Amino acid sequence: MKTKIINIIISILAVLSSASIVVFAMKYNASEPDKSVFYQSFSLYVTYGLMIAAAIILLGFVIYQLIKNFKQAKAGMIGVAIVVGLFIIAYLLSFPQNSLIEQKFAVTDHMSKLIGAGLLSTYIMITCAILAIAWTTVASRFKN
């Protein structure tokens, strides 16, 4: 029953998304961009609505799984806490830069620090993944 409801919701979201794309594709005219503004706005708002609906469904699913299987959800919550902690540490370690590209795109100091934190977090996670792969390979060699 639950999977049937989920499949119906996913189908409705897919149909709305497809309809928005089809309406935009049919009504868009590159030679008359002023007449196509309504359809661009319509497609944009449908996309926003679908993203909000997907986020609500995702949060509902997460809360449902937390309530249903709390013991199994603990590992996932620990993983999320580690990633959030990693980002906070990366944010504290990053510093705003004032390069020509950032000046060209009017990037503020706060946004520059967020970008640096995102990059640093990505680098740390990639390094951890490579180390985990190497550790698994070496450990499996010594196990046998």
Side-chain angles (χ1 to χ4, degrees):
M1 180 67 181
K2 292 175 190 170
T3 56
K4 192 173 188 179
I5 293 171
I6 292 171
N7 287 337
I8 290 170
I9 292 171
I10 291 172
S11 299
I12 290 170
L13 290 175
V15 167
L16 288 174
S17 174
S18 300
S20 169
I21 292 169
V22 168
V23 166
F24 175 70
M26 288 174 47
K27 298 295 183 177
Y28 182 74
N29 186 356
S31 62
E32 298 174 350
D34 293 338
K35 292 183 180 180
S36 300
V37 169
F38 169 75
Y39 300 108
Q40 286 175 333
S41 298
F42 172 74
S43 296
L44 188 66
Y45 290 130
V46 168
T47 302
Y48 288 157
L50 291 174
M51 288 178 66
I52 290 169
I56 291 170
I57 291 169
L58 176 70
L59 286 174
F61 180 73
V62 167
I63 291 170
Y64 173 74
Q65 289 299 322
L66 277 172
I67 293 169
K68 185 177 176 186
N69 298 323
F70 186 73
K71 287 184 179 181
Q72 291 178 350
K74 272 198 250 183
M77 292 185 335
I78 291 170
V80 169
I82 289 171
V83 170
V84 168
L86 173 69
F87 186 79
I88 290 171
I89 291 169
Y91 181 78
L92 294 173
L93 292 176
S94 67
F95 53 91
Q97 297 178 350
N98 198 6
S99 67
L100 293 175
I101 294 174
E102 290 173 344
Q103 290 174 1
K104 179 181 177 184
F105 291 106
V107 175
T108 63
D109 286 343
H110 178 67
M111 286 301 296
S112 177
K113 196 168 180 176
L114 282 175
I115 292 167
L119 288 171
L120 188 58
S121 298
T122 303
Y123 299 151
I124 291 170
M125 285 191 271
I126 288 172
T127 303
C128 289
I130 291 171
L131 290 174
I133 291 169
W135 174 259
T136 304
T137 304
V138 170
S140 67
R141 298 273 181 193
F142 287 117
K143 235 181 198 181
N144 293 331

